[in-house]
Amino acid sequence: MSTGTRNGAQAPEAHAADTHDLIRVHGARENNLKDVSIEIPKRRLTVFTGVSGSGKSSLVFDTVAAESQRLINETYSAFVQGFMPSVARPDVDVLDGLTTAIIVDQQRLGADPRSTVGTATDTNAMLRILFSRLGLPHIGSAKAFSFNVASISGAGAVTVERAGKTVKERRSFSITGGMCPRCEGRGSVSDIDLAQLFDDTKSLAEGAITVPGYTGDGWMTRVFSGSGLLDPDKPIRDYTEQERQDFLYREPTKVKVSGINLTYEGLVPKVQKSILSKDREAMQPHIRAFVDRAVTFAACPACDGTRLTEAARSSKIGGISIADACRMQISDLAAWVRGLDEPSVAPLLAALRQTLDSFVEIGLGYLSLERPAGTLSGGEAQRVKMIRHLGSSLTDVTYVFDEPSTGLHPHDIQRMNGLLLQLRDKGNTVLVVEHKPEVIAIADHVVDLGPGAGSAGGTVCYEGSLEGLRAAGTVTGRHLDDRASVKKAVRTPTGKLAVRGASAHNLRDVDVDIPLGVLVAVTGVAGSGKSSLVHGSIPAGEGVVSVDQGAIRGSRRSNPATYTGLLEPIRKAFAKANGVKPALFSANSEGACPTCNGAGVVYTDLAMMAGVATTCEDCEGRRFDASVLEYRFGGRDISEVLAMPVTEAEAFFASGEARTPAAHRILSRLVDVGLGYVSLGQPLTTLSGGERQRLKLATHMGDKGGVYVLDEPTTGLHLADVEQLLGLLDRLVDSGKSVIVVEHHQAVMAHADWIIDLGPGAGHDGGRIVFEGTPADLVAARGTLTAQHLAEYVGA
């Protein structure tokens, strides 16, 4: 070392490996991004802000995270890549300095009935091993405690080649599983109301079967009529015992119908396989309505809803069976596991304790391991995914979060902020897409996209520190310190909805009067029982419109026009004006371009390489056959109408020769919820989370009902959009509707006429009404967590 260096006159040169401290993005054009170029600091917490639809997710998830995942996948062999999802390279010129990305998004966990919180986090796997080692009486391996493994046994002769001779040997095997044989590990059994499947006064020829899809001349019905087992002209009530058995329950049998070999099966097993085996939420609305009518689900009487065999329930550790452990609240289960001291399974107990403590640390201690994964809200699902990363020893990883504050009470957001900072302080890069000021406040670096949404967004409006954002004058900067004030005068209720003895989930025999004709906010920490009270006591149905957090399902062929039912009046208007069939004006029906089948692009599958989508040369991406585009309505063809933004389409269908009142009504609702910039034919897969939430709200606003129940409508909304939502809620109430909102956003609480606060905690520490009254009374009382945070928010 030189004298100069020793005396501190000259700093040592940085090692070349330490100079890579930025993720550089140049020329990003994914979705609505307009040649975006930014530099993201590594080992810092960067928050991406901007109005809903401004391009945040396109930049963070579809560009940075997608390319990182693609590059990691390329390190595997071609054989392994063949089993992995192929990811196309994002439309970007340069992506430099990437690290391994771990994505924690809001995609719901699988809704399979056998998927639970325990199976999704591997906690069940550890418990099964624990009980197979320590449980008394000992009943078998870990499989004996799994409700996904059925007990099977078999025996027979096998032929083995040995020393050039063929030897026959007798072999037998048996597997002891934990699956309840009655409900097959689902925990519930379904009972079908036969009266909803058929009309017994009619014959098959007269259309006796009333199941959706079983039309009079359809193949489904023809198999029954032409099977030779049943008389198609005989009313079902006149069937003999044998005919009724064949009609309803016959095992699969080969039959010949009109010279074609087909398989005949009884109506009940056929309906169970074709309809009841599917996830209810993924069903089309008319099929879902049929299932709700025809099927009742009850806890399995054989296993009492635990999904496990009697043997699995009989093996216990200190008087607790695995079924008891899975039913416990996780915070209680963590305490029970800490009380176990068995050196022979010490590593297993340590791992189990760490996972269960992570649940509590992240604010999910109120869940139980047997809770079906499909019933978790978006925020809960996201936090469940975080659990496996909390105790990780990995560093220099890029963690990508999509609104981690979703579904969190202001009290819980502080805890979430601590976890994000903990991940950063380990030496990781944390990228967060977020709208809440409390999360933006902890950022080391802020990237604000905008200025608008859709085609009006996709540019970087600001990049730098939080203080700089406040002074930048962008939409986010201007609204960052917005604080709603508590309503001085509240509306007078026009009636009340009496709820008595509500005890769903963790509710403790709750009695409450929900005022009608006003805006009611139901508040409380996550897990306090808000959704249980609202959805359990005010079921969607006659007079009640319920907008939950369920994800919008749709393929790349679905768009706002098809989802909202807008395409129907438009197709009819085109058909009437041109004297042709409405089916011609659907890209999913007769009007589709024959080359691309109405997709607008031609997909080429390249095995383990990313597939290529090229614009269809025949229709040039317009999706329709050339002959269909010759038909015009109001001077536009159908592809030009679908390319219009909602605001332009609303004006187009409002007056003149293109006047279509049915279409105009739906478009007005889309404008009301702030989706005026979205084009009618934009694929649903390209919409952001906030846009999908508002699209769903717009669709339900057309439903006939006097009571609207909204579950966290501010999810995915920018601070500026929340103002517009509050205006919409006010218009609904002023038009004579009753609006009940489950919400954590303080601006909505302050704007409400009446607040019902649940708590005081989550799980078995909640389930009680801790406050009822106006927002002003809540702030004055300061007796609950919600009151303290609302008072702080309004500056009281």
Side-chain angles (χ1 to χ4, degrees):
M1 193 185 282
S2 68
T3 316
T5 306
R6 232 182 359 251
N7 293 339
Q10 177 184 332
E13 277 187 38
H15 193 286
D18 297 329
T19 58
H20 303 282
D21 50 6
L22 291 171
I23 296 173
R24 295 191 308 122
V25 181
H26 282 265
R29 291 176 294 277
E30 200 66 27
N31 295 333
N32 67 333
L33 296 179
K34 296 170 182 169
D35 261 331
V36 167
S37 297
I38 59 163
E39 293 185 339
I40 305 166
K42 285 188 188 174
R43 293 174 286 282
R44 296 290 181 274
L45 195 155
T46 302
V47 174
F48 293 79
T49 61
V51 296
S52 177
S54 59
K56 305 180 297 297
S57 295
S58 299
L59 178 60
V60 179
F61 289 91
D62 301 341
T63 304
V64 177
E67 179 64 354
S68 172
Q69 285 213 313
R70 189 184 72 84
L71 292 173
I72 289 167
N73 288 0
E74 281 189 355
T75 63
Y76 298 109
S77 67
F79 173 75
V80 173
Q81 285 183 54
F83 295 97
M84 302 172 93
S86 56
V87 185
R89 187 182 187 281
D91 189 2
V92 59
D93 295 334
V94 178
L95 262 176
D96 232 359
L98 292 175
T99 68
T100 304
I102 292 174
I103 299 171
V104 186
D105 59 15
Q106 285 188 48
Q107 289 294 321
R108 297 297 173 98
L109 293 165
D112 185 279
R114 290 203 186 91
S115 178
T116 65
V117 169
T119 59
T121 56
D122 295 338
T123 318
N124 259 36
M126 290 189 269
L127 272 179
R128 292 199 299 266
I129 298 169
L130 182 69
F131 274 87
S132 69
R133 301 297 185 272
L134 302 182
L136 293 173
H138 177 74
I139 60 163
S141 69
K143 286 181 182 175
F145 295 93
S146 171
F147 52 75
N148 287 325
V149 179
S151 294
I152 53 172
S153 60
V158 294
T159 306
V160 185
E161 288 281 342
R162 193 175 289 154
K165 290 180 184 174
T166 302
V167 182
K168 281 196 173 180
E169 291 183 358
R170 184 166 177 78
R171 297 266 177 94
S172 63
F173 74 95
S174 72
I175 295 172
T176 304
M179 179 191 287
C180 167
R182 171 79 194 273
C183 63
E184 296 185 343
R186 286 185 167 87
S188 65
V189 287
S190 56
D191 189 20
I192 297 178
D193 179 1
L194 297 180
Q196 297 292 340
L197 301 187
F198 58 86
D199 180 350
D200 67 357
T201 62
K202 294 181 179 177
S203 67
L204 289 171
E206 293 168 332
I209 302 176
T210 55
V211 179
Y214 286 73
T215 52
D217 57 348
W219 267 109
M220 296 285 206
T221 311
R222 283 171 70 183
V223 172
F224 284 95
S225 305
S227 63
L229 299 168
L230 307 167
D231 180 352
D233 299 313
K234 187 178 184 181
I236 290 173
R237 62 160 58 150
D238 297 337
Y239 279 3
T240 64
E241 194 57 44
Q242 183 58 51
E243 283 177 322
R244 193 174 175 84
Q245 182 68 25
D246 287 343
F247 173 55
L248 292 176
Y249 303 110
R250 188 168 181 124
E251 295 288 315
T253 310
K254 293 289 181 195
V255 294
K256 206 165 216 172
V257 180
S258 305
I260 301 169
N261 289 324
L262 295 169
T263 301
Y264 175 92
E265 190 174 17
L267 184 61
V268 171
K270 207 175 184 77
V271 167
Q272 283 175 328
K273 286 177 187 172
S274 63
I275 297 178
L276 300 188
S277 61
K278 294 185 174 72
D279 169 28
R280 181 184 172 279
E281 292 304 313
M283 294 173 182
Q284 292 171 286
H286 69 288
I287 295 178
R288 191 184 310 154
F290 161 74
V291 169
D292 292 344
R293 259 194 337 266
V295 186
T296 52
F297 294 93
C300 171
C303 65
D304 192 26
T306 61
R307 307 159 179 257
L308 293 160
T309 58
E310 193 176 342
R313 302 196 306 274
S314 69
S315 181
K316 298 185 177 181
I317 301 173
I320 299 287
S321 70
I322 191 167
D324 298 331
C326 291
R327 276 198 165 158
M328 279 186 198
Q329 187 166 305
I330 287 174
S331 53
D332 297 341
L333 180 61
W336 178 72
V337 170
R338 268 196 296 277
L340 297 176
D341 183 21
E342 184 60 51
S344 63
V345 289
L348 177 65
L349 285 172
L352 189 54
R353 282 185 202 116
Q354 185 184 343
T355 304
L356 294 172
D357 288 343
S358 294
F359 269 103
V360 177
E361 189 182 343
I362 210 165
L364 292 176
Y366 60 87
L367 295 178
S368 62
L369 295 181
E370 69 169 11
R371 170 91 175 258
T375 64
L376 296 178
S377 70
E380 286 171 335
Q382 187 169 21
R383 283 180 285 155
V384 163
K385 290 178 196 173
M386 276 183 77
I387 282 163
R388 59 179 67 234
H389 306 305
L390 288 185
S392 172
S393 302
L394 288 172
T395 60
D396 259 334
V397 170
T398 300
Y399 284 96
V400 187
F401 292 96
D402 186 10
E403 289 184 54
S405 67
T406 297
L408 289 185
H409 188 270
H411 171 71
D412 299 315
I413 290 177
Q414 296 172 345
R415 180 189 270 163
M416 176 61 73
N417 282 350
L419 294 170
L420 294 174
L421 293 171
Q422 189 182 318
L423 284 172
R424 177 203 66 184
D425 294 345
K426 276 185 177 176
N428 297 307
T429 306
V430 181
L431 309 182
V432 183
V433 172
E434 189 52 84
H435 293 295
K436 292 269 173 73
E438 299 96 320
V439 181
I440 299 171
I442 63 166
D444 300 310
H445 189 73
V446 179
V447 177
D448 190 27
L449 283 103
S455 57
T459 58
V460 174
C461 300
Y462 172 78
E463 196 183 349
S465 67
L466 181 66
E467 290 69 31
L469 176 65
R470 282 199 170 93
T474 66
V475 177
T476 307
R478 288 199 303 274
H479 288 274
L480 200 57
D481 295 314
D482 278 5
R483 293 293 180 267
S485 54
V486 172
K487 261 188 181 170
K488 298 279 188 292
V490 295
R491 299 178 182 94
T492 307
T494 56
K496 66 180 182 182
L497 187 70
V499 175
R500 296 289 176 265
S503 54
H505 301 309
N506 65 331
L507 293 178
R508 309 225 176 154
D509 215 20
V510 169
D511 294 339
V512 64
D513 291 329
I514 301 174
L516 296 176
V518 296
L519 176 59
V520 179
V522 181
T523 61
V525 297
S528 59
K530 303 182 298 296
S531 295
S532 302
L533 176 67
V534 171
H535 295 303
S537 308
I538 316 167
E542 202 60 44
V544 178
V545 178
S546 185
V547 186
D548 60 14
Q549 286 189 39
I552 281 183
R553 294 176 186 273
S555 66
R556 54 179 173 245
R557 285 179 175 273
S558 307
N559 53 48
T562 59
Y563 182 78
T564 57
L566 171 66
L567 193 60
E568 196 60 28
I570 292 176
R571 281 164 49 190
K572 285 178 179 171
F574 264 93
K576 189 176 178 185
N578 293 283
V580 291
K581 287 193 296 185
L584 283 176
F585 303 99
S586 169
N588 297 328
S589 187
E590 291 181 31
C593 163
T595 308
C596 62
N597 292 325
V601 289
V602 177
Y603 291 93
T604 310
D605 182 20
L606 298 176
M608 75 282 180
M609 307 292 284
V612 177
T614 50
T615 304
C616 173
E617 292 179 4
D618 287 7
C619 67
E620 295 176 348
R622 288 192 292 240
R623 303 175 62 195
F624 291 89
D625 188 65
S627 61
V628 175
L629 299 179
E630 291 173 10
Y631 300 117
R632 304 182 91 74
F633 176 65
R636 308 274 184 116
D637 66 41
I638 185 70
S639 70
E640 288 170 339
V641 168
L642 290 177
M644 284 182 185
V646 167
T647 40
E648 188 184 330
E650 188 199 19
F652 177 74
F653 288 110
S655 56
E657 62 174 303
R659 185 172 177 274
T660 313
H664 185 257
R665 272 196 302 275
I666 297 172
L667 288 162
S668 299
R669 292 199 291 268
L670 289 170
V671 171
D672 276 348
V673 297
L675 289 177
Y677 59 89
V678 174
S679 66
L680 305 188
Q682 183 176 339
L684 285 189
T685 49
T686 64
L687 295 182
S688 71
E691 288 167 337
R692 292 183 192 201
Q693 179 86 341
R694 283 181 285 164
L695 183 63
K696 196 171 185 181
L697 179 58
T699 307
H700 285 290
M701 275 174 61
D703 295 352
K704 289 181 173 60
V707 179
Y708 279 73
V709 177
L710 311 180
D711 197 350
E712 293 186 44
T714 60
T715 300
L717 290 191
H718 186 267
L719 299 160
D721 297 323
V722 172
E723 287 179 20
Q724 185 166 5
L725 177 75
L726 290 174
L728 173 66
L729 298 181
D730 276 342
R731 287 199 297 279
L732 278 173
V733 175
D734 294 340
S735 69
K737 310 283 188 191
S738 302
V739 181
I740 301 164
V741 185
V742 175
E743 193 50 84
H744 292 294
H745 204 294
Q746 294 104 314
V748 180
M749 294 179 200
H751 198 76
D753 298 306
W754 192 258
I755 288 183
I756 297 171
D757 194 23
L758 280 98
H764 57 46
D765 298 325
R768 290 187 287 266
I769 304 282
V770 290
F771 175 84
E772 286 179 82
T774 64
D777 292 342
L778 178 67
V779 169
R782 295 201 182 209
T784 69
L785 283 170
T786 305
Q788 290 161 21
H789 285 279
L790 184 58
E792 191 181 316
Y793 176 82
V794 298

